[in-house]
Amino acid sequence: MSGLDGVIAAETALSDVDGEAGRLVIRGRSLDELVAHCRYEDVLTLLWTTLFPESDGEKPLAGELGAARVRVFEYVRTADAQVLALAPVDALRALVARLEDGTDFTTALRLVAAPAVFTPAVIRRARGLDAIPPDPGLSHAADVLRMLQGNAPDLEQVAALDRYLVSASDHGLNASTFAARVIASTHAGLTSAMVGALCALKGPLHGGAPGPVLDMLDAIGQPDEAKPWLEAALARGERLMGFGHRIYRVRDPRADAIKVGLEELGRAGRLDPGRLHLAEAVERTALALLSRHRPERSLQTNLEFYTALLLEALGFPRQAFTCVFAAGRAGGWIAHAREQMLRGRLIRPLSRYVGPRCSEAA
Ligand code: ACO
């Protein structure tokens, strides 16, 4: 029961995670198919099918999402300087918390647009640069990169970010999605659900892992330093970031999807080959050491390991990786929150009391 391991806590028609086969299916379509053919807004259209009166699954949401990015940028213009100076994920949490709460389609679109617009704005502010307003005519991923870089991204960069956002869009009842569903089950509103989800995502055991993956690669430095460094970390009782998963007993299929994106960036000359070479050596060594460290538990590469390299190659600073994760997962959080509101009940489990009993009155 610890950590609700193995407990089914919700029914969903959104995504299915098969931990034994290493398969992720979103609305009946495999991750492989989605990353090969879909932009983020296409997966959003798929995820939100029938959850709002405005989303029938046929009408693409790209135009509405672009317009929502423009509307949400107004909140950047009026943002408190102290909030913008916070660490990126804390700034994102505070900026999202300022948005109106509600359960409707407009609120939902605003919440998906928010991390896509706020993240580049916060990063640019930390670099002493002005935020760039959205261009509603661009695809979601292209606009995020343009707002970050200040110029038009190339096609390979856009494809790589789309691949990441699609891979991160939904993943069963992970900790942040569960947090969103618990909040939504009280009918508190989608903004409240998303703020709670962001708080859960932030932790290094969940969406906070990819920044520390880069710290680990930097500390290792050279492929032949991987073994002694990783052995020492395990001997200190540390967890290796980017490895292990509650559900997967085989390699996380999202890790492969992201690796393909890295290889495409490499062919386009957008990735330092030495960085990928180091990461591959660290992965090989970590997997060998983890199988000896915990032979009874299959600890494999998860989404976050190659995500770190991909987001670095796209120009995101490691402090903001969790915000980019939120930009992808927002679509799934909102879908789950709506599904919970429409079809679920108040989530209210029991706890087993293990404290002292009242002494009987004398
Ligand atoms: N490195 C070293 N040891 C590990 C790792 C790891 N990455 N992962 C698990 N273990 C060990 C645990 O310490 C535990 O040993 P213990 O009982 O002696 O403490 C044992 O393996 C069993 O762990 P699990 O039951 O698999 O752990 P759980 O399901 O609670 O945790 C988690 C899953 C949090 C992802 C874990 O594997 C971890 O901490 N990984 C590193 C952080 C990380 O990469 N997070 C991103 C996850 S993916 C995502 O959220 C999108």
Side-chain angles (χ1 to χ4, degrees):
M1 190 182 70
S2 160
L4 299 182
D5 209 340
V7 172
I8 294 174
E11 284 198 343
T12 181
L14 296 169
S15 60
D16 184 31
V17 183
D18 183 337
E20 300 297 330
R23 231 185 349 248
L24 168 61
V25 170
I26 296 177
R27 290 274 198 190
R29 297 178 58 186
S30 74
L31 177 66
D32 287 350
E33 182 193 343
L34 294 174
V35 290
H37 302 296
C38 295
R39 301 173 306 168
Y40 181 68
E41 42 272 61
D42 304 324
V43 174
L44 190 69
T45 306
L46 188 66
L47 273 170
W48 287 9
T49 304
T50 72
L51 291 173
F52 298 91
E54 297 86 346
S55 59
D56 59 6
E58 297 297 323
K59 189 164 86 60
L61 300 180
E64 275 137 323
L65 186 56
R69 289 196 302 275
V70 172
R71 285 196 300 277
V72 105
F73 188 72
E74 286 308 311
Y75 292 85
V76 174
R77 293 192 204 280
T78 57
D80 185 326
Q82 272 183 325
V83 166
L84 289 174
L86 292 170
V89 69
D90 295 329
L92 177 62
R93 187 189 57 212
L95 290 165
V96 172
R98 266 189 71 208
L99 303 176
E100 297 90 328
D101 214 344
T103 59
D104 61 348
F105 188 56
T106 304
T107 305
L109 283 169
R110 187 166 51 229
L111 289 168
V112 175
V117 171
F118 295 157
T119 301
V122 166
I123 294 170
R124 287 182 68 85
R125 182 58 67 95
R127 293 172 177 168
L129 301 168
D130 288 336
I132 295 173
D135 176 347
L138 291 180
S139 78
H140 199 60
D143 206 17
V144 171
L145 289 171
R146 192 193 58 88
M147 287 187 278
L148 177 69
Q149 302 168 353
N151 50 34
D154 60 36
L155 289 177
E156 290 82 6
Q157 291 176 309
V158 176
L161 184 57
D162 258 323
R163 188 171 264 280
Y164 173 66
L165 295 175
V166 168
S167 299
S169 63
D170 199 39
H171 200 243
L173 208 56
N174 57 86
S176 57
T177 300
F178 185 49
R181 286 192 83 119
V182 170
I183 295 165
S185 84
T186 73
H187 294 191
L190 296 172
T191 307
S192 299
M194 175 136 152
V195 172
L198 260 174
C199 294
L201 185 74
K202 177 183 167 181
L205 299 190
H206 188 13
V213 167
L214 277 196
D215 296 340
M216 175 175 74
L217 293 180
D218 287 348
I220 292 171
Q222 301 292 333
D224 52 8
E225 292 297 325
K227 190 159 182 279
W229 195 95
L230 294 167
E231 275 176 342
L234 288 173
R236 288 193 299 271
E238 292 174 13
R239 291 184 174 213
L240 305 183
M241 292 291 129
F243 298 93
H245 198 274
R246 175 62 64 83
I247 308 292
Y248 290 119
R249 289 297 155 257
V250 294
R251 195 176 159 86
D252 183 337
R254 299 169 301 172
D256 288 329
I258 300 301
K259 184 95 187 287
V260 170
L262 277 173
E263 286 158 5
E264 287 172 1
L265 279 178
R267 282 194 290 280
R270 288 284 182 185
L271 177 73
D272 170 6
R275 200 74 167 140
L276 184 56
H277 181 59
L278 171 64
E280 286 171 336
V282 169
E283 183 190 23
R284 268 194 311 275
T285 312
L287 292 176
L289 293 176
L290 285 169
S291 71
R292 264 189 275 145
H293 178 66
R294 298 297 309 236
E296 77 296 351
R297 182 90 187 177
S298 172
L299 296 170
Q300 304 291 331
T301 314
N302 65 44
L303 164 72
E304 306 288 40
F305 187 73
Y306 285 111
T307 287
L309 254 67
L310 186 112
L311 296 184
E312 180 186 52
L314 292 177
F316 293 97
R318 65 190 71 184
Q319 299 79 3
F321 286 175
T322 309
C323 303
V324 192
F325 193 160
R329 187 55 59 83
W333 286 335
I334 301 303
H336 276 270
R338 275 291 292 191
E339 186 180 53
Q340 182 66 39
M341 283 175 191
L342 293 175
R343 289 159 209 160
R345 288 178 72 207
L346 175 74
I347 296 175
R348 202 308 184 190
L350 295 173
S351 51
R352 178 180 297 120
Y353 179 66
V354 294
R357 298 281 163 195
C358 295
S359 47
E360 291 300 320

